[in-house]
Amino acid sequence: GENVEQHPSTLSVQEGDSAVIKCTYSDSASNYFPWYKQELGKRPQLIIDIRSNVGEKKDQRIAVTLNKTAKHFSLHITETQPEDSAVYFCAASKGGGFKTIFGAGTRLFVKA
Amino acid sequence: DGGITQSPKYLFRKEGQNVTLSCEQNLNHDAMYWYRQDPGQGLRLIYYSQIVNDFQKGDIAEGYSVSREKKESFPLTVTSAQKNPTAFYLCASSASTGYGYTFGSGTRLTVV
């Protein structure tokens, strides 16, 4: 069935370093790829998204890249800060369809 | 915490009991969703609704029921048929089905 795999499950970086989280999806019809950040005890919040007609999107320290051929997309966080510590979820959907499939999440620790 | 409100924050269920989780949004969103979050498993779709008086099963609908009598409200009932209901339940809404979600703050359900 449809699936989104996310790696790594845990990531620890030093403050100021970059962090990269990778996801692959199985449904080639997927065309919308959001990323959510969930801080401890709080709700997930949309931080960036990308549609299949775009290969890369950037918003300040956060960027997402998409490789449709490989069915692979990644989140890049530069100049990490302690407040970036959270669980990050990738997701894929057909956008306009009904199902958003989530990855299992990556717990990011940024050490000061 | 404006936009989408879930209540209660914590809920305890006895064996054989049905409980209802509330989800209300004032974002004028057409689509609403219920997800279940278990550690290490990401978010799994229980039910979703694209319009009033219509809803569809997600991947793990067994033991759950919903209603959508008003655009603003999408309550979830966890029935006694759900054998392992202890989890964190998240309600979400979106302006267009499948695109960026706004999540509620969640309800943590525990069986006692």
Side-chain angles (χ1 to χ4, degrees):
Chain A
E2 298 161 4
N3 187 45
V4 174
E5 293 190 359
Q6 183 171 350
H7 299 280
S9 57
T10 305
L11 179 60
S12 184
V13 300
Q14 202 67 37
E15 182 178 3
D17 288 350
S18 295
V20 180
I21 302 170
K22 299 180 179 181
C23 291
T24 58
Y25 59 97
S26 60
D27 188 348
S28 57
S30 296
N31 59 8
Y32 176 68
F33 306 92
W35 287 86
Y36 293 86
K37 175 184 179 182
Q38 186 177 28
E39 297 179 44
L40 189 63
K42 296 189 177 180
R43 71 188 78 191
Q45 291 193 304
L46 179 69
I47 56 171
I48 195 168
D49 56 13
I50 191 169
R51 304 199 182 197
S52 59
N53 58 346
V54 175
E56 183 174 356
K57 184 176 179 180
K58 191 172 182 180
D59 183 4
Q60 299 182 341
R61 296 186 296 110
I62 294 173
V64 57
T65 59
L66 172 65
N67 182 330
K68 287 195 300 180
T69 302
K71 292 190 283 187
H72 173 273
F73 58 114
S74 300
L75 178 71
H76 305 253
I77 306 174
T78 59
E79 301 172 17
T80 54
Q81 300 167 4
E83 50 264 39
D84 294 329
S85 296
V87 177
Y88 291 82
F89 293 97
C90 64
S93 81
K94 297 176 188 178
F98 58 88
K99 269 190 175 181
T100 293
I101 308 297
F102 285 82
T106 295
R107 186 171 296 277
L108 174 65
F109 296 97
V110 180
K111 296 177 287 186
Chain B
D1 277 357
I4 183 164
T5 302
Q6 287 186 242
S7 62
K9 190 171 183 177
Y10 299 97
L11 187 57
F12 298 91
R13 194 195 89 167
K14 295 181 180 179
E15 295 286 347
Q17 191 178 44
N18 292 354
V19 292
T20 297
L21 285 59
S22 171
C23 179
E24 303 275 335
Q25 54 100 359
N26 61 5
L27 300 167
N28 200 32
H29 284 171
D30 288 313
M32 298 187 74
Y33 315 83
W34 275 105
Y35 281 87
R36 171 177 171 146
Q37 186 174 25
D38 294 285
Q41 294 193 44
L43 303 170
R44 292 184 290 166
L45 182 64
I46 305 172
Y47 268 98
Y48 72 98
S49 169
Q50 295 175 269
I51 57 172
V52 175
N53 292 324
D54 183 63
F55 48 83
Q56 304 295 329
K57 293 182 179 180
D59 297 318
I60 56 166
E62 185 175 353
Y64 300 97
S65 66
V66 294
S67 63
R68 187 84 187 276
E69 297 177 2
K70 298 187 299 181
K71 186 175 184 178
E72 302 79 19
S73 179
F74 192 41
L76 174 74
T77 297
V78 184
T79 75
S80 56
Q82 171 50 238
K83 297 307 178 188
N84 184 25
T86 295
F88 189 54
Y89 291 86
L90 284 162
C91 179
S93 68
S94 67
S96 300
T97 307
Y99 290 110
Y101 290 179
T102 299
F103 281 93
S105 55
T107 293
R108 190 166 298 279
L109 174 63
T110 304
V111 174
V112 296

